[in-house]
Amino acid sequence: MQLRVNRMSSDLLSFPRCRADQLGLPMPDECHAVSACLPLWEHNVGYEEGDPEIHARLRAAYPRFCFHPIVQQLSQRFLNQEGRQGLPFVSTAAARRALAYVQRAGVADAEIVPFEGWQVCGVAVPTDQFSTLKQYWQHAGENVSSRVAELILADTQAPCTETESRRTVRNRVAALHQVRSDRVFLFPSGMAAIAAAWRAVQACRSGPTCQFGFPYVDTLKIQQRFTPERNEFFPVGNAADLIRLETVCQTRPPVAVFCEVPTNPLLLTPDLRTLRQLADVHDFLLIVDDTLGACGNVSVAEFADLTVTSLTKYFSGYGNVLAGSLVVNPASPRASRLHDLVTTDFEETLSDTDAAVLCRNSDDLRERMVVINHNAASLADFLRQHPAVASVFYPQTDDPNFAAVRTPDGGCGGLLSIVLHDPERTTPVVFDALEICKGPNLGTNFSLCCPYTILAHYEELDEVEACGVSRWLLRLSVGMEPISELRNRFDRALQSV
């Protein structure tokens, strides 16, 4: 198969960004990349601890966690002034939600700042309260993209209209989920889709929710920090947690249970059959994030009421655009009600310029997934047999929970995690020596590695380890490099200890 690397001015499959002198370079090598190189273990720790030298080197970053330089310019021109700092959101409705969030958190002097002539709308707060506004930006994902910021700075419109690219993306997502395209709603990020699902749940019947299985960090934060701020967390998501959930349902059933298929970063698949049975008996909604299943490998329509996917990852595949989708599953007992609620709340906020990139990127989705599925399964087998590796986390085809959602021709996805023997000593050495791109994000056509727990949970490492996620865990997003080359790169790194 001819690998499509011509879009990137630097071929990251053959020449990964992994050296110390490449700190902060974008991946891919373009203005709107959504990841930057953090090549050494100490860089990741320094990034989390706010080392100004490391942050100053970043020429890109994941846009919900750091601010793209062009978005910073937009904020500086329209929102920032002496003693005040702000952020641009995708719409007035999104800005109002951000305003309500910071006001509930005690920020009294916050204000809406319209961008006259554009759909974008800002929120400004006192500078010493900016971290609270940044929380909403991170959790809800209703962020102005770097492409939209670039257009506004050039005094050019950034519309969200019914283009052919948008229709194509919606149709492709619908085909993956085997639903009509009017059941698909597109968002400017995966987290924006999850936040919309959460609002639909609360509009359907307000009340507490449950998180079943260890989740991506912001999915849990939405449930814990957005009104009504009532959530029960079942961090392992195994049979024992199912028994605990059923016990909870006997006395205080949730309005919804959120879960991932599989989970991030341990790649475990919850028992969706039992969760669906509990949902039917105790009248709660089941919301499933299938992002890590990777497009076409799994189908959760038989079980989920709402399915959310980060299209930033495998659907895009090139690491240069954020987007997400929410699908109302027609088999849901509440499909009609949920569709009405989502439709009422929904507004088109994925810009035309980002939709066009997403459409072009997804042209070769199926071909990419064939290669990525094969490479990840082969690399997982190789690492299981390596004497330096203590644990490999990757979906198992003989796991009945994964088998229940795997499509007939589906693979196991491109993500896996490993923990090494004597990890405190060996992990930083192996990570520093590894010759693949190093930084956050996943699902790209080039392989990526990051110390996931350090980046996602640095302030709560002890609590996360109590849930079974090692602070020394390395998360690997396997790309399209020749599998022999990938094995050699990992073997060389593992031989360094």
Side-chain angles (χ1 to χ4, degrees):
M1 174 183 176
Q2 180 67 38
L3 301 184
R4 295 173 62 179
V5 300
N6 56 315
R7 298 181 190 180
M8 297 178 285
S9 57
S10 176
D11 175 5
L12 299 183
L13 288 88
S14 301
F15 305 100
R17 292 192 159 165
C18 57
R19 302 191 315 267
D21 63 330
Q22 294 172 319
L23 170 64
L25 293 182
M27 301 181 299
D29 184 20
E30 63 172 83
C31 173
H32 301 293
V34 302
S35 187
C37 181
L38 292 171
L40 303 183
W41 187 270
E42 65 183 51
H43 294 149
N44 289 268
V45 173
Y47 168 83
E48 286 299 316
E49 294 183 346
D51 185 327
E53 292 186 12
I54 291 175
H55 282 262
R57 293 277 298 275
L58 297 180
R59 287 176 46 194
Y62 202 76
R64 287 190 304 101
F65 291 91
C66 289
F67 307 120
H68 192 283
I70 300 176
V71 175
Q72 290 180 333
Q73 293 175 38
L74 188 70
S75 296
Q76 190 64 36
R77 177 180 296 186
F78 286 90
L79 298 168
N80 298 349
Q81 52 186 287
E82 186 174 353
R84 297 186 69 76
Q85 197 169 352
L87 288 171
F89 293 89
V90 290
S91 70
T92 300
R96 286 173 177 161
R97 287 190 285 268
L99 179 71
Y101 180 89
V102 298
Q103 288 176 333
R104 285 195 304 270
V107 181
D109 189 16
E111 62 177 337
I112 295 283
V113 182
F115 282 46
E116 298 297 339
W118 286 282
Q119 181 174 338
V120 169
C121 186
V123 176
V125 298
T127 299
D128 62 356
Q129 302 292 318
F130 182 72
S131 61
T132 304
L133 180 61
K134 185 176 182 290
Q135 281 182 0
Y136 187 83
W137 173 277
Q138 176 181 324
H139 300 334
E142 299 179 309
N143 313 346
V144 167
S145 75
S146 56
R147 288 186 181 85
V148 170
E150 189 174 51
L151 290 171
I152 294 174
L153 288 168
D155 198 24
T156 302
Q157 287 299 308
C160 302
T161 58
E162 187 62 10
T163 62
E164 185 61 32
S165 290
R166 189 182 307 274
R167 283 189 290 272
T168 298
V169 169
R170 194 184 296 119
N171 288 337
R172 286 173 178 170
V173 173
L176 289 168
H177 291 271
Q178 297 183 312
V179 299
R180 298 196 315 262
S181 61
D182 64 350
R183 297 282 174 172
V184 176
F185 300 83
L186 301 179
F187 293 86
S189 70
M191 284 312 305
I194 291 174
W198 185 89
R199 292 196 300 273
V201 164
Q202 297 301 326
C204 188
R205 190 178 66 192
S206 182
T209 61
C210 292
Q211 177 67 47
F212 192 81
F214 197 85
Y216 179 68
V217 58
D218 290 305
T219 301
L220 183 59
K221 296 301 184 186
I222 282 177
Q223 298 171 70
Q224 293 174 334
R225 292 179 173 176
F226 288 13
T227 303
E229 302 170 343
R230 288 176 288 164
N231 167 265
E232 187 128 9
F233 184 23
F234 300 87
V236 181
N238 59 5
D241 273 352
L242 274 174
I243 294 172
R244 286 183 55 224
L245 174 61
E246 188 167 14
T247 300
V248 167
C249 288
Q250 300 294 337
T251 56
R252 53 183 192 284
V255 298
V257 169
F258 287 73
C259 65
E260 298 177 1
V261 175
T263 60
N264 189 4
L266 298 183
L267 287 308
L268 302 174
T269 303
D271 183 351
L272 289 189
R273 290 166 297 189
T274 301
L275 286 173
R276 182 70 256 170
Q277 291 168 3
L278 289 174
D280 292 339
V281 170
H282 297 285
D283 195 27
F284 63 75
L285 297 169
L286 185 57
I287 318 301
V288 180
D289 182 342
D290 71 346
T291 300
L292 299 193
C295 302
N297 289 324
V298 301
S299 173
V300 300
E302 181 182 349
F303 309 105
D305 295 289
L306 298 173
T307 305
V308 292
T309 310
S310 173
L311 304 180
T312 308
K313 311 302 191 301
Y314 293 99
F315 189 88
S316 168
Y318 288 87
N320 61 357
V321 64
L322 258 61
S325 66
L326 185 157
V327 172
V328 180
N329 291 327
S332 165
R334 290 187 179 157
S336 179
R337 172 70 171 148
L338 287 171
H339 188 268
D340 289 346
L341 290 171
V342 174
T343 301
T344 299
D345 179 73
F346 180 72
E347 55 184 339
E348 293 285 3
T349 53
L350 177 67
S351 71
D352 292 354
T353 182
D354 288 317
V357 174
L358 188 64
C359 180
R360 185 170 67 250
N361 285 359
S362 60
D363 283 345
D364 62 350
L365 171 61
R366 296 189 183 280
E367 294 86 351
R368 278 190 282 111
M369 286 314 309
V370 169
V371 178
I372 288 172
N373 284 333
H374 171 266
N375 281 357
S378 298
L379 186 62
D381 287 342
F382 170 78
L383 293 171
R384 287 191 193 100
Q385 299 171 36
H386 202 288
V389 178
S391 302
V392 176
F393 302 93
Y394 187 66
Q396 298 293 304
T397 56
D398 59 355
D399 172 14
N401 294 336
F402 186 72
V405 298
R406 187 182 181 190
T407 59
D409 298 323
C412 296
L415 201 69
L416 60 107
S417 298
I418 62 173
V419 176
L420 306 180
H421 289 294
D422 191 11
E424 184 173 0
R425 179 183 66 84
T426 61
T427 309
V429 176
V430 170
F431 180 79
D432 290 358
L434 186 58
E435 300 167 84
I436 66 171
C437 288
K438 285 178 278 191
N441 200 18
L442 62 94
T444 50
N445 67 337
F446 53 91
S447 293
L448 275 165
C449 180
C450 73
Y452 177 79
T453 318
I454 295 295
L455 289 178
H457 301 282
Y458 192 70
E459 300 299 326
E460 50 189 10
L461 293 174
D462 291 340
E463 296 92 328
V464 169
E465 286 199 317
C467 298
V469 181
S470 170
R471 72 184 65 202
W472 305 106
L473 178 142
L474 295 178
R475 193 186 70 179
L476 315 173
S477 175
V478 182
M480 299 177 66
E481 299 89 345
I483 185 58
S484 59
E485 177 62 22
L486 281 175
R487 290 196 196 103
N488 289 338
R489 293 183 193 182
F490 275 90
D491 191 46
R492 286 195 295 269
L494 291 166
Q495 295 288 351
S496 64
V497 293

